[in-house]
Amino acid sequence: MQTSAPLRILFPLFLTVALLNQVQSEQGFNVGVGSSVTFQHEDFQEFDPAMEAVPKMAPASWIDLPLEPPFINMKSYQSVQYHIEADGYVSLRGWCVATDRAEMGDPVFYLPPAAWPGREETFAITFKGSERRIVIGTDGVARLGLDLYESKWIPLASLGFYNMQATEAAELLQLE
């Protein structure tokens, strides 16, 4: 009996894919692109009732920050937001984009007084091979630290600092 040409070509391909899937399932799975962490079935533990006794953290209350033109939030991305921890640590997150040329010193957003830093904070953000810079002054104004000659994204994830009250309290403790 003679096999058709497409079947002779496709069968080795299907066999290879099936074998690779079997090897991958035996080795566990990778948690993300560029990640080197791999989980095995044995790594997962059964539910421990003692885990229920661990107090749950309240969800962080993130507050949107309005942006100054030419900066905007994109609908499908996280809006620029801030959050203040009990110890005075201010965290920022979100994405903004300049829709037009923006110059160094142009305001990006304004923080409320409770989130003002105790000293000037400068953040260098490298994204897709080019650098952006945000400088947040003790007046709470986040300004562009470098000229943007074209429309560019500015990710604010993982930016943080202590607010003025926490900074002043730390300085007083050092004086004692």
Side-chain angles (χ1 to χ4, degrees):
M1 181 163 138
Q2 187 155 9
T3 352
S4 67
L7 204 54
R8 283 192 305 241
I9 294 171
L10 292 177
F11 180 72
L13 179 65
F14 288 130
L15 183 61
T16 304
V17 169
L19 288 173
L20 285 174
N21 281 337
Q22 182 177 356
V23 167
Q24 186 177 8
S25 68
E26 289 172 3
Q27 292 178 351
F29 63 93
N30 199 306
V31 293
V33 176
S35 173
S36 61
V37 179
T38 303
F39 292 98
Q40 298 289 343
H41 297 293
E42 303 84 44
D43 291 337
F44 296 103
Q45 299 174 355
E46 293 294 319
F47 175 74
D48 181 0
M51 294 172 83
E52 278 295 310
V54 176
K56 305 251 189 303
M57 290 181 60
S61 54
W62 290 90
I63 300 167
D64 288 347
L65 287 167
L67 300 175
E68 296 298 309
F71 298 96
I72 61 169
N73 288 311
M74 298 298 286
K75 282 186 180 181
S76 59
Y77 288 84
Q78 176 70 54
S79 296
V80 174
Q81 298 178 320
Y82 76 97
H83 169 72
I84 305 174
E85 298 287 337
D87 65 353
Y89 192 78
V90 178
S91 298
L92 299 173
R93 71 177 182 185
W95 293 74
C96 64
V97 64
T99 58
D100 200 1
R101 177 187 166 94
E103 295 182 2
M104 183 172 72
D106 285 351
V108 180
F109 56 85
Y110 295 90
L111 289 166
W116 290 2
R119 63 177 186 197
E120 183 175 275
E121 298 286 348
T122 302
F123 299 99
I125 304 156
T126 303
F127 184 65
K128 292 193 174 185
S130 64
E131 187 174 327
R132 294 99 161 118
R133 190 168 292 162
I134 297 285
V135 179
I136 303 174
T138 56
D139 58 356
V141 181
R143 299 184 183 282
L144 198 58
L146 295 172
D147 290 340
L148 292 180
Y149 298 107
E150 57 187 320
S151 177
K152 296 229 179 188
W153 290 91
I154 302 176
L156 300 173
S158 302
L159 303 186
F161 52 87
Y162 282 98
N163 66 10
M164 191 173 296
Q165 294 82 2
T167 305
E168 288 171 354
E171 289 172 354
L172 286 174
L173 287 174
Q174 289 177 351
L175 294 176
E176 294 176 355

